[in-house]
Amino acid sequence: MTRVLEATDLDGIRSLLGEEYAAVRLTPRDDRRELRIEQQRLGRVRLDRTSYRMTVDIEGAPLDRFCVGRVRDGRVDIRRGTDDRARYERGDVHLTAEPSAPIRATVDDLTCDYAIIEPGLFDEVAEPDRDGAGSVRLLGFEPVSAGASAQWSRAFGMVHSVTAADPGIMSSPLVAAQSARLLAAVTLATFPNNARVEPTARDRRDGHPHTLRRAIAFIEANPDLDIGLPDVARAAFVTPRALQLAFRRHLDTTPMRYLRRVRLELARADLRGAAPGDGLTVTAVSARWGYARPSRFAADYRAAYAEHPHRTLQRARGEI
């Protein structure tokens, strides 16, 4: 569900920014006073569309989260050091704020989409390198390429549009969690970071069939729970990288693809178990098993079973 917050006086704007982001000091540059924030929550990620109908200097305390922005209209000038300044305008993707760094910016009729990501979420989709400080973090303020920026925009737009079109879809814990992890993974692919890329020698040694068996047992016992790569790796007593190697070597797939296949099988069982008048829908089944978009579920289902899920449902009810 979208939550809308608005303020039209300086004290109200200051208070709203403090509640939703961090304590700030504002220095207006014109007489206008209007702030509007539209929020959607996806577990450990929040999607904001924030609009300033004013020109104002902002100095704020550090956030405890990463905030990635995409400018929709207007502009923002961000100051990150004595001489380090950057201007972002329509279409620009950038790291707006990070944990421990204060905020200093000037916004001018800015409308910006933000993905506000809890730092620990990056650890659910990647591992820090050997020289890391124990967690995965972003190391740069701008995308590594124009293609990466475009990919981030597409991922944000897809998730935002799905939640706006069907707010109830995010009531599924699996859909919300997977959407949050998707944005975290795409963000890591977009910005410089300290995530480890290459496996270690120990990872290679641990990528054996015993690891695979432990992981499969855990996945098949818990497909209805919000589990990610680190959860499966812990259950198999190896690192996420070693787990990925084991699945690649012995099944030519990834742990998360295997989990999706298990959930797809359970979705099929739900559809085949339908009865006349029970009210079961393909959309409800797809959401239950972690699909934010029924069209993606239908495509995966047809690829796996050579049949549209609606046909399976109709056959179970004796309608065809």
Side-chain angles (χ1 to χ4, degrees):
M1 178 179 293
T2 300
R3 180 181 179 223
V4 178
L5 306 166
E6 296 179 293
T8 55
D9 64 85
L10 196 61
D11 287 340
I13 292 170
R14 185 185 299 110
S15 176
L16 182 53
L17 290 173
E19 291 172 0
E20 301 305 321
Y21 301 110
V24 297
R25 182 170 63 202
L26 303 177
T27 305
R29 294 194 177 191
D30 60 18
D31 295 330
R32 296 173 298 158
R33 306 284 187 271
E34 184 178 344
L35 172 68
R36 176 185 173 90
I37 304 173
E38 300 176 11
Q39 291 181 346
Q40 297 171 340
R41 181 167 290 281
L42 307 175
R44 300 175 68 183
V45 171
R46 199 178 78 207
L47 308 183
D48 284 8
R49 180 161 291 172
T50 302
S51 298
Y52 297 84
R53 297 282 72 85
M54 58 192 299
T55 301
V56 61
D57 295 330
I58 301 173
E59 292 188 20
L63 271 69
D64 58 356
R65 294 154 288 174
F66 289 95
C67 179
V68 178
R70 177 186 61 176
V71 178
R72 295 180 61 84
D73 202 5
R75 67 188 183 190
V76 57
D77 294 316
I78 298 179
R79 300 179 293 282
R80 300 190 176 99
T82 305
D83 300 314
D84 185 7
R85 297 171 179 242
R87 171 170 290 183
Y88 301 106
E89 300 178 319
R90 181 178 295 180
D92 289 340
V93 174
H94 60 284
L95 178 60
T96 303
E98 59 178 335
S100 78
I103 301 166
R104 294 187 299 158
T106 298
V107 301
D108 183 8
D109 276 326
L110 175 71
T111 297
C112 196
D113 288 334
Y114 294 114
I116 302 170
I117 303 170
E118 294 182 16
L121 186 57
F122 290 135
D123 295 321
E124 295 187 14
V125 296
E127 297 174 88
D129 63 24
R130 297 175 191 175
D131 299 324
S135 63
V136 178
R137 61 191 187 279
L138 303 182
L139 301 178
F141 296 101
E142 296 178 0
V144 295
S145 68
S149 176
Q151 182 182 37
W152 193 92
S153 292
R154 287 193 297 271
F156 183 97
M158 184 273 289
V159 174
H160 188 276
S161 64
V162 168
T163 56
D166 186 1
I169 198 75
M170 292 303 163
S171 63
S172 165
L174 295 185
V175 170
Q178 291 189 166
S179 297
R181 288 195 188 101
L182 168 66
L183 280 178
V186 172
T187 299
L188 286 179
T190 301
F191 293 90
N193 60 77
N194 69 330
R196 181 151 58 93
V197 177
E198 295 299 323
T200 64
R202 180 178 176 181
D203 290 337
R204 294 188 179 93
R205 288 195 302 270
D206 285 344
H208 49 63
H210 295 301
T211 293
L212 185 69
R213 285 195 290 271
R214 288 193 294 266
I216 287 175
F218 178 77
I219 287 172
E220 293 185 348
N222 300 284
D224 57 328
L225 300 183
D226 172 20
I227 55 176
L229 183 63
D231 302 302
V232 183
R234 281 192 293 270
F237 308 112
V238 296
T239 68
R241 185 65 65 187
L243 183 69
Q244 290 172 321
L245 281 173
F247 272 83
R248 190 179 306 133
R249 282 177 181 172
H250 305 293
L251 293 180
D252 193 26
T253 189
T254 69
M256 293 300 96
R257 286 198 188 106
Y258 187 88
L259 173 60
R260 285 196 294 272
R261 182 58 189 260
V262 169
R263 287 173 173 166
L264 197 63
E265 289 279 359
L266 292 167
R268 188 177 192 225
D270 284 350
L271 294 172
R272 296 176 75 178
D278 62 6
L280 189 71
T281 65
V282 170
T283 297
V285 170
S286 66
R288 177 186 178 188
W289 295 110
Y291 282 85
R293 294 183 296 168
S295 60
R296 179 71 264 171
F297 171 70
D300 287 355
Y301 194 94
R302 286 196 303 270
Y305 308 116
E307 180 177 71
H308 195 284
H310 283 292
R311 297 283 292 180
T312 305
L313 184 60
Q314 291 173 328
R315 184 175 293 105
R317 290 174 172 159
E319 296 173 357
I320 55 174

